[in-house]
Each structure stands twice: as structure tokens, then as C-alpha cells.
Amino acid sequence: MSYFDTATLHKLPFRGLTKSLSSLETWAFGLTSHLAWTSVVPAVHAALGTQAIFVWVPAVFVGMLLNYQMKHLGRNLLDVAGGTPNYTTHLWQRYPLIGRYAAIGYLLGWLSFLSVNAVVLTDIIKVNLDSLSITCPEAFLRISFILLPFIVAFSGTRALSILHLFFAIPAFILLFTFCLQGLGFLAFSSHSPGFFPHQWVSFNFIDFAKWFYFVSYTVYSCETATSFVADSREPNQTLNFLDIAAWLMIPVFVGGSWVIMRLATAPDLADNAFLNFVAASTPFWGNFAPIIATFLLAGSCLLGSATTVSNAPRIIYQLAVDKHLAPVFSVVSNRGVFGSSLALSLIIGLIYFIWGNVAHIVAAANCAWFISFMVLHLGLWQQRSKLDVVMPRLTLGIFLIEIVILLVGAYAWGWQDLLIGFLAPFGVIVIDALVRYLPINIFKSSWWLKLYQSQRPKQFQDSVMLQVSILIFLLCIAVLVGSVFGWRLNKVTTTNFGNLLVVLLMTVAFVGVAIACWTSLPQVVAIAEARESAEHLFTVAQDAILVTDEQGIIRQANPATELLFNINPSYLLGNHLNKWLPQLGTNPQQWVKRSEQTFTHNTKSKILEVAISDRPHQYFQEYVVILHDITQRKQAEEILRNSESQLKEEAKQLATQLIQSEKMSSLGQLVAGVAHEINNPVNFISGNLTPANQYLQDLLKLLELYQQHYPNPISEIQTHAEVIDIDFIIADLPRLLTSMTVGAERIKAIVLSLRNFSRLDEAEMKAVNIHEGIDSTLMILAHRLKAHEKRPEIAVIKEYGNLPFVECYPGQLNQVFMNILANAIDALEETFANFQQTQNLQICITTLLSTHQQVLIQISDNGTGIPENVQQRLFEPFYTTKPIGKGTGLGLSISYKIIHEKHHGKLYCSSTIGKGTEFTIKIPLHQQQIKK
């Protein structure tokens, strides 16, 4: 197959659509035109009789050729939405006005379906209601049938495509059965009127041209699946369906038309589609013929409208992407809602509805439609040397014949409709010009983008297919039961009851889904998209990912495992992970969450970094294992260690100096804190020494007087005793001494806290109460927690669990507490200085013992949080965000080593911008078990 010349064809769209549609859904859209044949064939048969077959056969031939051409063309334009009309604009890139005109003509042909289908559906209901003496609200029903598919499409879910698929498959099966069973009846039944007619009706070229022009409305549109290639999950499968759709034209368009021609022969049938199908199918379907005919006709109309509101917005979207229409029409939501394009489609559909004359609508729209395919065929001929055009000479011949058919057919249908159809695309171009230049918000892309960004899907658990199927089933059952009871109660006896019921069932199903699309289905789609996204990430991930059960048996493996293990992923399934990584162990509950393992296969070894999910699911245990090949990194590290030993030694010396500097800095903070805390009780004591000394002097004086005048005190002694208030002195002196005692005890407590913090006499591992260590650290940092002129007090919330004594290095663990708490205080001070936040500044300390005998210490603050890029480097040596002189960048690095290397635990940080930061320390309760 040749490829596009980049000099002659437009570049692909600047962004593609979300691949949300399954190939089966796109195939269902490709069957719409086959079903639409049911509305077209009676008119052709009534006008031409037996000669109608000579219109259908060449029309089917051209339609099949068109399908093959679009398939070859589409393989080079997989990201182009809208299909055939937008392929045409690429063919006419040198003359963009011609391509745009043809694409809009194609669009107008599809949008006319809305009004035509609404009229047909309303007429079916009206006929059945008239037989029940019920007045039919025609105008209401017509506008409702036009709006109904738009309501579903505007919801932004896949419900429209699934709903279409739900009805399209059974409808087409019935249609295909009608064609085959009808042909079999004609060929083999004893009641057959004969396979071939006894005489042929006269026929001329004008009749041929007139009705070829008419049936092209259906036959040329069998390539509809191309419109959905850009958002198909399997675009090549969607294009492959064009072959199937092409060959299905023969049994449906040719075979079905032959059945209608031979079996629907009563003169009073005229061009009534319902009567023709009932007459043709009654010989082999009997009493079921009316209900099946109603289902086919109603299904054809509803499915045609659903396809129109799915197809037309994609055409408009791609025209905007290719700069043939205003940019606002290229805006699509994350859920695939073509909001602005749907709005334009609805406006054009309503214009058709206001016009109201179905015959003129079909004639005018068919003119624009037919011209668009003439332009396509001419474009294929022009690009024959650059594209893989199927039968280019035949394509040119078809174009020339189409010119004659257009002139003759338009003359036969009326020149007025031809003129309207010819000018209609220019009307859309005028609307586009108004949208581009009128300063109205809804005409701007930004307005639609804000609208889509403001939508927030809710969580919901279900699947789209299941939800839609259940909804349709329940609605149909409800209507069926209600109708049966109504029929029984009112004793309605009419042969049209079943026909009306079929139409009501299908209509209510569409209405129900339309309602659901604005209630629960958007949330369902959100879950489905999330699942698909997760599955996609699992598939495209570059690291090997394995999923094991609670026994360690591998249940899933992504494609990347094949590159890592050099084994097909299917061979991994059902085997224990220990078979490939023997050092990991056999019990998944004892697997180390992050480790390095050696994998050996065919005498070749690889070093793998293994990360295992931390917590199994509550209902079923499942472990996700991520494997990363670090062999080259390890080799590079080894080379680096061997070649840079001198630099490493110098770095070690520098690190030692910096560590010492960090210790001195911590010691300076410690001394400042101790001096501050000791100063208060010392001042307290010295402030009481002066009155105590005065009291003692007064007492000595009193004693002296007593010695002089003893045993009988004179009045002078009594006077002096009254002056000094000897009773008060005697009462206050104990309290004064008590205050001095409290001050002394305070000094002793501070000294004891310093000793507990430093743990100078406890360098070995021992079991201690870590709450005492935390409290001692807080007492040392108490001067930094108090309020001062630059910020309010920092509150400390303690949520201590019931912990036994913990085996650890107490002094080193206290150093970790000091580093983390000091950083938390720094963060809160910086938060208040930068943002002046009004809420209370606080640090929360939580301790608990997990079920796996792990001690957890969580220290969190309500500061501004740590950015993601900083979190990733928190524990790197020498990395700091503090100004020069206020930190060396070793505090957290040293803390990390103390926890990981000395205590075989974990230290990690989690932070949310605007909410705060939490450091979590996890160490085993008993270190001796780990050493063993």
C-alpha cells in the first residue's frame, strides 16, 4: 500500500480523541444504513415495480467499491475523526473550499435523518393511537424524537453507543433473517409466487437516474464506521468491518428488495413501509409479521438518529481541527462530549424540523449528499498517483455518470430542491463565520473548556455495559407489565396493540437511558475509565510487574516481564515467585517490602530491585511486585568505588567534619536551651532571697531584744514585734522555703532531662521507655515552643499508645527525635512568617504498636508542607533548603541511617502542600530477633 505525500495531504490533527469505543460498537454504527434500507425500499418498489432491481444492483456495486476505497484511505488516516467527509478535505487540500463544501454537504445529508426519522416514528405511533381513539401529540413527539439522542450524547458517556449496539444487533439479525428467509420462501416454498416475475415493467433512463439519485442516500452511507476510527480501541478492526458491510449490501439491498418486489404485490400497499413489510413477511412469519415490521421500522429510525448525533459531531470536530470551521468546535471534554459540535448539529436539525416538509427535506439534503460523493470520487481520481485508490479509472467513470444522474435526477425531483440543497452548505459556512467573529462567550473555546473543567465525576461501582443492559431490561419489563395490565383492565382488543407496545418499549428505553446519562452513568463511566487506565498502565509500564496471590503464586504478569526474564509471561503464571527469586523466601507475609535480589537464568545473572506492595486487600490477599533491573547501575557503582577511592576518602573526611559541625550546632542549641530553662528557676530563687534575708534580720533583732529583757518582755519588744508582724513572718517563712525547694527541684529536673537526652551512660542497646526520651526532647526544646513577639505558642499534642519497653539505642533515637522536632518547629515558624496563618500552630506526636510487633512514632505538623521535588531528596546527605549557617543538611540523613541501619526500621515522610508534613518512624519492638 502506498502512503500519503506529506506535501499534498494535510497533517494529522493536533490531538487525537480518547480511544473509548470497542470495535463491536463501531461495527453497530456501520449497520445503521443497512437498517435504513427498510424506509427507502417501499418508495422505490412502488414507483418502479420489478424494474427496481436494476437500480439497486448498480447502486450496490458503487457502494461496495466506495467501502473498499474508504478502507484503504482510512488506513493512512487512523487519527482522522468523521470518516469519509474529512477524508475528502484531505484529498482537496490544495482547494480547501471545495473539500469543506463537500464535507458540509455530507453532514447536512446525515442531519436530515433527524427530522425524517422523527416524522416516521410519530406517524407509526399516530396510526396505532388512532385505532385506539387516542389523540396523538404530533408536534411534541417529533421534537422529542429529535432531542432524545442529543440528551444522551450531551451526557458524555458511552451509553449512546452501547444503547445503539443493544438494539442494532437484534434489529439487523431480524432484517437479515427476513432477507434470507424470504429468498428461501421464494425459491423452495410450494406457496411461492415464483422466484422470477412473469413480466417486467417498462423502464427508462430518467426513472433510473431519479431513483439511483434517491437510493444513494442509503447505499453510499454504508461506510459510516469510518467516522469512529479515530476513537476506536482497535481502529484497524473498525476499518475491516467496511469489507463486511460491503458484502452485506448484497443480501440486504438486493436480496431484500427482491423479496419486497415479489411478495408485496397488493396494489393498495403504495409506498407505506409498514404495510409492504407486513405483506412481504406474512407468508413465512405469519401473525408475528406486524410486530417484527414495527420493530424494524422503529429501530431503523431510532438507531439512525443515534448514529446521526454520534457521527455529525465528529465530522464538525475534525473540520475544526483541520481549520475548516471555527476553533470552538474542536473542543472536546475528557469524556468525549463534543459540546459545541453537538450544539451546531442540534441547530441544523431544528432548522430541518421547522421546515417540516419531509419530501423536500429528503430531496434537498440528498442533493448536498450526492454532490459530496461526486467531489470525493473526483478527489480520488486526482490523487490516484499518490494514494492506493481502488480502480481509479472506474472511479472517474462513476464521477462522470454521477454528473448526468444529478442533472437528470434533480430535474425529475424538482429544480427548487436542487437549488436549496446546492446552497445549503454555504449557509453553514455563514453560521461558522458568525461564530468566529461574534464576541459571545459561548462561541469561544475557553468557555467550553471551563465548562468541562468544572465537572467533577462521582465515584460509583459498576460497569457501563451491565448498567445500561439492566436499565433497559427493567424499563422494558416495567412498560410491558404496565401495558399488559392496562390492556387487561380496559379490555382493549386491537390488533395494533403489539405494534404500539414495540414502539413504546424502544422509545422508553431511549428515554430511560437519556435520564440515566445525567444521573448515574457518568459515574459508571468514570470507574470504567479508571479501570481501563490502570490496565493500560499495567500493560505499558517499562518495569516488570507481577501480581501474586496470598501464597505467592504468580497470577498476572505484564509484557515487560518478558524482557526482564527472557521468558514468555504465560510461563510465569501458576509458579511461585520463589522459583525465580529464591532469596525472597516462600512466605509472602515475611517478604521484605523493598530489597535487592539476584535472578539467574541460563548462567546469566541480573540484580533486581524488588518492591512489594505494603498491605494486602482486606477481602483477598494480593501482592503487587515491581521488578527493576539495576545490574548496570550496580556495575557502575562498583567501577566508581574502585576508581574513586581517593575522592571517597576525602569525601568521608569532609562528611566527618560536617557531621561534627552538625553536632556542634546541635550542642549549641542544647546549651542555649539549658541556659534559658535554668535561668528562670535561678531568678525565681534569687528573687526570694532578699525578703528571706530581711525576715531573718528582723527575727535576729527580736531575739536580741528578748535576750535583753527576758523573761518579761517590755513594751518596746512588744511594739517591735507588732511592727515586724512576727506572726506573718512565722506563717510566710515555710512558704518561702517551699518556693526555694520548688526552684531547686526544677533545676534538678532539667539536669536529669539533659542526662536522659544525651544518654551518655547508655551507649549500648537496651530496652527503654521511648516516651521518656520524647518528653526529655520536648523539655529541651520548650524554649522554642513558647510564644514570643514573632509568633504564637506552638502546641504539642501527645497521643501516646500503650507501649512496652522498646529495644533501641536510646541516645541515637533521641537524636532522631531532636532533628525531626526541630525541623517541625522551623517549618511552623516559616509558615507563620510567610503566611500569618490564624489557626493554631501545633505538633502532634502519636505512638502505637502494630500487629506485626512494629513500633510506630508519627510526628506531624500543620505547616505549609513540603513540595514533591524536595520530599524525594529529604534524606540525601548535605541537601538542605535552609539558608547558609542554619543547617548542614545532615540532620535527616543521619536520622535516616540511625533508623535504617542501627534499628533495622523505616523512616519516611508524607506531606501535602497547604496541610502539613508527617514523619513516620517504624522500628521493631525487639532488635535481637532481627540480628539472629
Side-chain angles (χ1 to χ4, degrees), residues 132-144:
L132 300 174
S133 300
I134 299 176
T135 303
C136 177
E138 295 185 50
F140 173 77
L141 288 178
R142 290 180 183 181
I143 190 67
S144 297

Side-chain angles (χ1 to χ4, degrees), residues 713-931:
I714 63 175
S715 59
E716 183 179 359
I717 294 175
Q718 294 177 353
T719 301
H720 187 74
E722 294 174 356
V723 170
I724 68 174
D725 196 357
I726 187 64
D727 294 331
F728 172 79
I729 293 175
I730 294 172
D732 189 64
L733 185 58
R735 290 194 293 268
L736 187 148
L737 293 176
T738 301
S739 297
M740 296 176 67
T741 302
V742 170
E745 290 297 328
R746 176 67 173 165
I747 294 173
K748 289 174 61 179
I750 292 174
V751 172
L752 180 61
S753 295
L754 291 174
R755 182 177 181 182
N756 287 339
F757 175 78
S758 61
R759 296 282 187 175
L760 296 177
D761 59 338
E762 298 177 5
E764 297 297 328
M765 179 181 292
K766 63 182 296 185
V768 298
N769 184 348
I770 63 171
H771 292 159
E772 292 181 357
I774 297 174
D775 291 338
S776 299
T777 306
L778 289 172
M779 180 173 289
I780 293 171
L781 293 172
H783 70 288
R784 296 197 60 195
L785 298 171
K786 295 179 180 179
H788 51 73
E789 66 276 9
K790 294 184 179 180
R791 61 156 175 80
E793 180 182 7
I794 299 175
V796 177
I797 301 174
K798 302 177 183 178
E799 297 178 352
Y800 290 167
N802 186 15
L803 296 182
F805 279 24
V806 180
E807 291 183 1
C808 63
Y809 293 97
Q812 295 182 13
L813 196 58
N814 287 343
Q815 183 179 358
V816 174
F817 297 152
M818 172 66 79
N819 287 332
I820 295 177
L821 288 169
N823 282 340
I825 295 172
D826 290 341
L828 292 173
E829 290 180 342
E830 182 180 357
T831 298
F832 189 85
N834 293 337
F835 302 98
Q836 293 293 319
Q837 62 182 27
T838 57
Q839 71 263 28
N840 295 330
L841 304 177
Q842 67 179 29
I843 296 174
C844 181
I845 306 174
T846 304
T847 63
L848 57 92
L849 182 65
S850 71
T851 55
H852 300 290
Q853 296 296 296
Q854 296 284 320
V855 178
L856 298 179
I857 305 104
Q858 297 172 331
I859 302 174
S860 61
D861 63 68
N862 62 345
T864 56
I866 303 174
E868 182 68 23
N869 60 330
V870 176
Q871 290 185 47
Q872 297 174 357
R873 304 187 61 188
L874 273 180
F875 303 115
E876 291 182 13
F878 315 119
Y879 179 77
T880 180
T881 58
K882 298 178 181 179
I884 297 176
K886 290 191 176 182
T888 61
L890 286 174
L892 289 178
S893 175
I894 293 173
S895 300
Y896 186 87
K897 290 185 177 180
I898 289 174
I899 298 301
H900 279 253
E901 297 179 4
K902 292 290 187 179
H903 293 85
H904 307 284
K906 290 184 178 181
L907 172 61
Y908 48 89
C909 170
S910 62
S911 180
T912 303
I913 299 299
K915 293 186 178 180
T917 303
E918 179 179 271
F919 283 85
T920 301
I921 302 169
K922 181 190 293 186
I923 60 174
L925 181 63
H926 303 291
Q927 294 288 329
Q928 297 299 329
Q929 296 178 359
I930 295 177
K931 285 187 175 183

Side-chain angles (χ1 to χ4, degrees), residues 364-401:
N366 202 24
C367 174
W369 171 269
F370 198 78
I371 293 175
S372 70
F373 280 95
M374 291 173 56
V375 175
L376 170 65
H377 286 136
L378 182 58
L380 289 170
W381 165 256
Q382 287 185 332
Q383 299 290 338
R384 64 190 181 281
S385 61
K386 300 171 184 176
L387 305 179
D388 190 11
V389 178
V390 180
M391 301 181 184
R393 294 183 180 179
L394 182 58
T395 300
L396 177 62
I398 292 173
F399 166 73
L400 297 175
I401 295 174

